[in-house]
Amino acid sequence: MTREDGDALAPELAKLAGLDVAAMLAGRMAADDEWTRFVAALATLNERHPDKTDAIAALVERIDLAADRGDGRGGETVTPIIATAPPVKVAVLFARADSHYKALPGCDVWDIERDARNWLGGCPVVAHPPCRAWGSLRRFAKPEKGERRLAVFALRQVRRWGGVLEHPAKSRLWPRCRLPKPGAGPDRHGGWTLGITQHWWGHRATKATLLYVCGVAPRDIPDWPPLRLGEGTHAVKRDSRGYRPQSRQRPHITKAERELTPPALARWLVDLAARCKARPAQDGGPR
C-alpha cells in the first residue's frame, strides 16, 4: 500500500474522530480526549474497511512520525501516538478467527489457532467459550472431546483475573456451577450475572444472553446503548423439526452470525472488562 492509499482514508478517520484533518495528519493529538476519540475511530475504520488494513497502518505510521517531529513549522513537540498507545488491557478468549475484537486496540485475542488454554493470565478477560454443549439444544450437539470443559476453564479465568463470560440465556453452566441468576447478589467470588439481548447492540436476532461479571460493581459498568424495543428481525435457529422459535415468519441468521459478537457489543464488553480488577489467586476458580 502506498502513502496515497492511506491518505485517501484520512478524511473519513478524522470525521469519525471529530478531528481536523490537518491537525490529525500533523500528529497534534496530545489531549486525552482526542487520543480516546482517535483510537475509537481507528477501530471503526478497520471494521468498515477490513481489506485496507495495510493502508490504515500506513496512515497511522505517518501520523506517528509527524507527532515525533512536531508539526514541521513551529517545532512544537507532541507525544507520539503509537508510543503512547495503551498496552494490552483485555484478553479475549475463545474468539472466532474473523472476530471483530481483532480490530479493537488493547485486545489480546485468542482464537482457535492460538488456543485460549495457552493464555498465561495477567489481565481482565472477555470470554466466549463454546456453548453448544451447554445450550438448550445440547442433546443434538456434537461437541469435540473436552469442549464442554472449556467453559469451566473460562470461568476460572474470569474469577481469577476479573472480566466477563458470555453464554446463551439458557446455558446450563449457570446451575452446574451455581452462578447467580440475574438480579441476585454476588457469589463468594464477587461475581454477578447480567441478562441482556444482543439486539440492543445491533444483532439481527434478539439473542438473549447471560453475562457473568467479576471484578466490578453493577453501578460501575459502561453506559447502556440506546435500547431497541421489540424483537430482532431474524430468529437464531430453526429447531429440530424445522420450525423457527417463537416466530415462523422470521428468517434465521447464519452460523457466523450466531457466533460473532456485534462490533458495538464487542466494544462494550471490552470496556466492561477493562474496568474489572483481579482477585487474589486463592479466590480464583469455581469450586
Side-chain angles (χ1 to χ4, degrees), residues 136-193:
S136 58
L137 297 177
R138 61 191 177 278
R139 290 181 178 83
F140 306 102
K142 296 179 180 180
E144 301 290 336
K145 183 179 179 180
E147 183 178 314
R148 195 169 189 266
R149 293 195 296 270
L150 298 179
V152 179
F153 168 85
L155 179 58
R156 289 196 180 102
Q157 308 316 308
V158 169
R159 284 176 165 170
R160 170 64 183 92
W161 300 104
V164 53
L165 182 150
E166 177 269 338
H167 243 211
K170 295 182 180 180
S171 171
R172 296 299 298 169
L173 182 66
W174 263 249
R176 172 65 180 80
C177 294
R178 300 180 181 179
L179 304 184
K181 296 180 180 180
D187 60 19
R188 65 190 182 90
H189 303 277
W192 52 279
T193 297

Side-chain angles (χ1 to χ4, degrees), residues 113-131:
E113 183 177 351
R114 295 186 72 193
D115 192 342
R117 292 171 296 181
N118 295 323
W119 183 65
L120 298 178
C123 65
V125 303
V126 175
H128 294 284
C131 61

